[in-house]
């Protein structure tokens, strides 16, 4: 009996060690893949540490089994499903079905295909169609970053991911955008030769598919002028048109696809079914860019919002629900199509899934980041999905106080495990500003049941003192606009 118990224990410990080791190695591989050199650093925790925590985390939960008191989490319910309109055409400023009725595509974009390939899977695409009501999926293929198509990326693997994405979307009767995601290569002419080759090949391959849309340059930026983009567009369009006479083609605009006014003043001539992209990030771009969009639309320019975020333009920072709602009002009133950035669990506000969630399908509301919840609620009309997480006091905590009565802090446990006989908790914190006025700073004081030791933290400045933890902002999440929130602040503590 004792021997069996000893053996069982030894097996468990060995299994645990193997799991941790695998987790660390996987973490290193994933970290190498997911973090392009230019990725904004989010706090002091490295991706390897996070992956390690995740593996330790899931390990402890598999040993202790399901918490019987926890309510079972249900997957997202079926919704109406995104509509399919057959072959599309552009008439005036509108995207239309084959009969000429204006239609709107609404959907989501992958993150960089090379970094988060796991989200290109049939089950998730089905889920996005049936449960999120999305009718378009964008496949973002970076051209110049780490793993980019024109740098060190594996062209064969990237084209296979595109092909899978196109197949899954077609199986679901969804539109699919193939996005030549220029970014650090700020002028599309830099990789024009490669672009021509790529679009020649894929337009030949997908010529018979009515649901494929080509996005020929994600975001020209820096000093790239509209005339540079226009001449590039003319060349690429003629390459595509040799194979595919009717597909909708999306053309980027200067300044990270914002200056649609410049395209409106001098659009591509003699071509049909061309649209111009405008990209916005709700917490950064507001009234002024909305006015630019409205003016271009009123001038008759067909605009497609092939990428937007509900957070800041760096893909992180705060989620601005109020601004995002304003944007949607405008887009809906003009029937302008929109695609949300991004399908990933990266530690950044624009990722729709929480970093602690490693699922690639079968998502529940609890798996969604604040931005993800907003996107889900907007696409499905399920307002409940946006309700705040309970701001009561989670496990291990006695009280949470904020520096201002208009600021409400919500704290949730995103993981817990044991280490060296101590209980370790990982918490996520978000702070919402309930007043209409911006708050220029904030401070949160958290009182724990026991003395704590802080082992990790991100997106804030932290000071632990006995049973107390003070959290203050970092530069980029200091200001909270009226009716907006900052989120994805996190920390790990062990209880003494
Ligand atoms: C960001 C990603 C981030 C990645 C970075 C690479 O969210 O994880 O490290 O690219 O430079 C865009 C771009 C889009 C950006 C996004 C957020 O099209 O590639 O993704 N953004 O910064 N335009 C405006 C914002």
């Amino acid at each position: 009996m004792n021997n069996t118990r000893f053996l069982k224990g030894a097996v468990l410990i060995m299994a645990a060690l193997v799991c941790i080791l695998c987790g660390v190695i996987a973490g290193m591989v994933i970290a190498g893949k997911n973090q392009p050199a230019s990725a904004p650093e989010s706090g002091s925790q490295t991706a390897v540490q996070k992956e390690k925590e995740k593996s330790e985390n899931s390990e402890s939960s598999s040993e202790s089994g399901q918490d019987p008191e926890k309510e079972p989490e249900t997957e997202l319910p079926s919704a109406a499903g995104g509509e399919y309109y057959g072959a599309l055409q552009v008439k005036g400023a509108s995207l239309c079905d084959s009969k000429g009725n204006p239609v709107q595509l609404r959907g989501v974009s992958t993150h960089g295909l090379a970094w988060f390939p796991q989200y290109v899977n049939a089950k998730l695409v089905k889920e996005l169609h049936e449960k999120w009501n999305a009718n378009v999926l964008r496949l973002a293929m970076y051209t110049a970053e780490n793993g980019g198509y024109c740098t060190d990326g594996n062209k064969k693997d990237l084209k296979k991911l595109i092909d899978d994405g196109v197949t899954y979307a077609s199986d679901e009767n969804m539109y699919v955008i193939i996005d030549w995601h220029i970014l650090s290569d700020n002028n599309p002419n830099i990789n024009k030769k490669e672009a021509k080759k790529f679009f020649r090949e894929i337009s030949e391959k997908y010529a018979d598919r009515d649901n494929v849309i080509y996005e020929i340059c994600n975001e020209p930026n820096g000093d790239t002028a509209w005339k540079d983009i226009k001449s590039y567009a003319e060349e690429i369009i003629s390459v595509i048109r040799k194979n595919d006479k009717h597909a909708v083609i999306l053309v980027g605009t200067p300044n990270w696809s914002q200056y649609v006014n410049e395209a409106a003043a001098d659009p591509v001539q003699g071509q049909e079914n061309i649209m111009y992209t405008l990209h916005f990030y709700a917490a950064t771009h507001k009234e002024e860019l909305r006015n630019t969009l409205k003016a271009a639309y009123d001038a008759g320019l067909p605009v497609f919002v092939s990428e937007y975020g509900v957070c800041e333009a760096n893909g992180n920072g705060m989620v601005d629900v109020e601004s995002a709602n304003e944007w949607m009002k405008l887009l809906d009133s003009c029937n302008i199509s929109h695609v949300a950035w991004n399908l990933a669990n990266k530690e950044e506000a624009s990722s729709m899934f929480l970093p602690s969630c490693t699922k690639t399908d079968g998502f529940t509301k609890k798996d969604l980041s604040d931005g993800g919840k907003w996107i889900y609620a907007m696409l499905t009309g399920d307002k409940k999905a946006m309700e705040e997480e309970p701001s009561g006091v989670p496990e291990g905590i006695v009280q949470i106080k904020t520096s201002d009565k208009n600021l409400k802090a919500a704290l949730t446990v995103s993981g817990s495990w044991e280490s060296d006989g101590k209980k370790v908790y990982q918490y996520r914190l978000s702070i919402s500003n309930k007043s209409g006025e911006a708050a220029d700073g904030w401070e949160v004081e958290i009182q724990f049941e026991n003395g704590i030791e802080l082992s990790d933290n991100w997106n804030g400045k932290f000071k632990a003192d006995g049973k107390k933890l003070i959290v203050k902002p970092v530069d980029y999440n200091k200001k909270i606009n009226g009716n907006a929130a900052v989120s994805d602040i996190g920390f790990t503590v062990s209880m003494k």
Side-chain angles (χ1 to χ4, degrees):
M1 178 68 189
N2 269 345
N3 266 351
T4 341
R5 205 183 272 169
F6 170 77
L7 260 175
K8 262 191 191 165
V11 168
L12 266 180
I13 289 168
M14 295 257 293
L17 281 173
V18 170
C19 279
I20 290 172
L21 200 68
C22 289
V24 172
I25 293 169
M28 285 162 83
V29 173
I30 289 169
K33 269 193 181 170
N34 292 359
Q35 298 283 341
S38 57
E41 195 36 74
S42 57
S44 61
Q45 198 187 29
T46 65
V48 179
Q49 280 169 319
K50 277 176 213 155
E51 287 304 321
K52 181 167 174 281
E53 276 167 19
K54 264 181 228 158
S55 71
E56 282 170 352
N57 225 339
S58 52
E59 202 229 330
S60 76
S61 63
S62 66
E63 243 179 72
S64 59
Q66 285 282 320
D67 182 354
E69 280 178 23
K70 245 189 179 172
E71 265 184 56
E73 263 194 62
T74 47
E75 287 187 11
L76 301 170
S78 292
E83 268 191 75
Y84 187 69
Y85 308 104
L88 299 167
Q89 57 171 328
V90 178
K91 286 195 145 196
S94 301
L95 180 64
C96 298
D97 64 13
S98 52
K99 296 193 191 89
N101 306 308
V103 298
Q104 187 187 30
L105 307 191
R106 303 155 86 233
V108 292
S109 175
T110 65
H111 199 288
L113 286 180
W115 303 326
F116 293 93
Q118 65 270 39
Y119 298 100
V120 180
N121 74 73
K123 281 187 183 161
L124 178 57
V125 176
K126 191 177 181 62
E127 199 167 316
L128 291 168
H129 181 227
E130 291 180 354
K131 300 185 171 180
W132 295 63
N133 286 349
N135 58 3
V136 60
L137 172 71
R138 179 184 190 235
L139 303 169
M141 185 181 72
Y142 281 87
T143 46
E145 274 67 8
N146 283 351
Y149 190 84
C150 305
T151 48
D152 58 343
N154 183 322
K155 291 192 167 59
K156 220 174 121 212
D157 289 356
L158 289 166
K159 279 188 283 200
K160 169 80 168 70
L161 282 164
I162 289 183
D163 202 43
D164 289 346
V166 169
T167 304
Y168 304 148
S170 306
D171 288 349
E172 283 299 311
N173 262 343
M174 279 172 89
Y175 296 95
V176 57
I177 300 173
I178 300 174
D179 162 34
W180 184 255
H181 202 87
I182 67 160
L183 192 62
S184 61
D185 44 345
N186 59 320
N187 187 324
N189 291 297
I190 294 175
N191 287 313
K192 187 174 76 184
K193 244 173 110 183
E194 290 269 25
K196 279 174 131 175
K197 217 169 141 203
F198 174 79
F199 283 108
R200 184 173 301 123
E201 197 179 321
I202 59 160
S203 62
E204 192 181 351
K205 193 164 180 183
Y206 303 125
D208 295 337
R209 301 226 188 224
D210 285 343
N211 60 331
V212 172
I213 296 171
Y214 302 100
E215 182 169 3
I216 62 173
C217 51
N218 167 51
E219 291 183 357
N221 60 79
D223 55 11
T224 308
W226 169 244
K227 68 171 175 19
D228 302 327
I229 305 169
K230 189 180 171 191
S231 72
Y232 164 85
E234 284 164 348
E235 283 192 56
I236 303 292
I237 292 167
S238 77
V239 165
I240 296 174
R241 285 291 178 248
K242 285 205 179 98
N243 295 320
D244 192 331
K245 298 273 175 282
H246 305 291
V248 171
I249 299 174
L250 309 180
V251 181
T253 54
N255 199 46
W256 291 276
S257 289
Q258 289 171 29
Y259 292 169
V260 281
N261 51 315
E262 296 190 3
D266 179 23
V268 173
Q269 299 297 325
Q271 293 285 350
E272 283 180 347
N273 299 343
I274 307 296
M275 300 187 85
Y276 301 84
T277 65
L278 178 131
H279 290 177
F280 71 85
Y281 279 73
T284 304
H285 309 118
K286 306 197 169 169
E287 196 74 29
E288 201 183 330
L289 190 57
R290 283 197 289 270
N291 290 342
T292 306
L293 169 58
K294 186 69 173 42
Y297 173 82
D298 288 343
L301 191 79
V303 179
F304 195 115
V305 174
S306 57
E307 184 186 302
Y308 73 88
V310 291
C311 59
E312 295 169 22
N314 62 6
N316 209 347
M318 79 173 147
V319 168
D320 192 333
V321 165
E322 194 181 26
S323 168
N325 287 337
E326 282 301 313
W327 273 102
M328 284 306 145
K329 245 195 259 164
L330 173 62
L331 300 185
D332 289 346
S333 71
C334 307
N335 246 325
I336 292 177
S337 300
H338 50 78
V339 179
W341 183 257
N342 68 62
L343 284 173
N345 68 341
K346 189 169 168 177
E347 181 83 58
E348 62 177 6
S350 58
S351 274
M352 284 157 48
F353 309 124
L354 288 174
S356 55
C357 171
T358 51
K359 290 179 195 170
T360 55
D361 69 272
F363 292 98
T364 71
K365 286 178 193 167
K366 284 189 178 157
D367 298 325
L368 308 181
S369 65
D370 293 347
K373 279 187 195 148
W374 183 90
I375 293 162
Y376 172 76
M378 182 272 301
L379 290 173
T380 58
D382 176 359
K383 293 275 161 16
K384 270 200 200 140
M386 267 163 56
E387 275 170 17
E388 276 173 42
E389 293 161 14
S391 61
V393 278
E395 223 176 309
I397 286 173
V398 181
Q399 198 186 28
I400 311 165
K401 282 196 281 190
T402 54
S403 50
D404 178 329
K405 65 173 180 1
N406 288 322
L407 299 179
K408 213 165 141 240
L411 198 62
T412 48
V413 178
S414 51
S416 67
W417 59 94
E418 264 188 40
S419 166
D420 292 338
K422 283 183 196 157
K423 193 88 185 149
V424 183
Y425 287 95
Q426 190 171 63
Y427 293 96
R428 277 183 73 242
L429 173 68
S430 63
I431 302 141
S432 40
N433 180 1
K434 296 290 160 199
S435 91
E437 305 273 299
D440 287 327
W442 52 267
E443 187 177 315
V444 177
E445 185 186 307
I446 304 162
Q447 196 74 42
F448 292 81
E449 281 165 6
N450 302 304
I452 52 153
E453 209 172 291
L454 187 65
S455 51
D456 222 329
N457 61 79
W458 54 96
N459 292 337
K461 288 184 188 145
F462 296 78
K463 194 162 172 267
D465 178 11
K467 296 182 178 178
K468 203 166 76 180
L469 178 69
I470 306 275
V471 190
K472 290 182 185 177
V474 283
D475 283 350
Y476 55 82
N477 61 13
K478 196 165 176 190
K479 184 173 171 202
I480 314 181
N481 287 346
N483 295 315
V486 293
S487 58
D488 291 323
I489 301 157
F491 58 92
T492 307
V493 291
S494 56
M495 304 282 173
K496 284 183 189 149

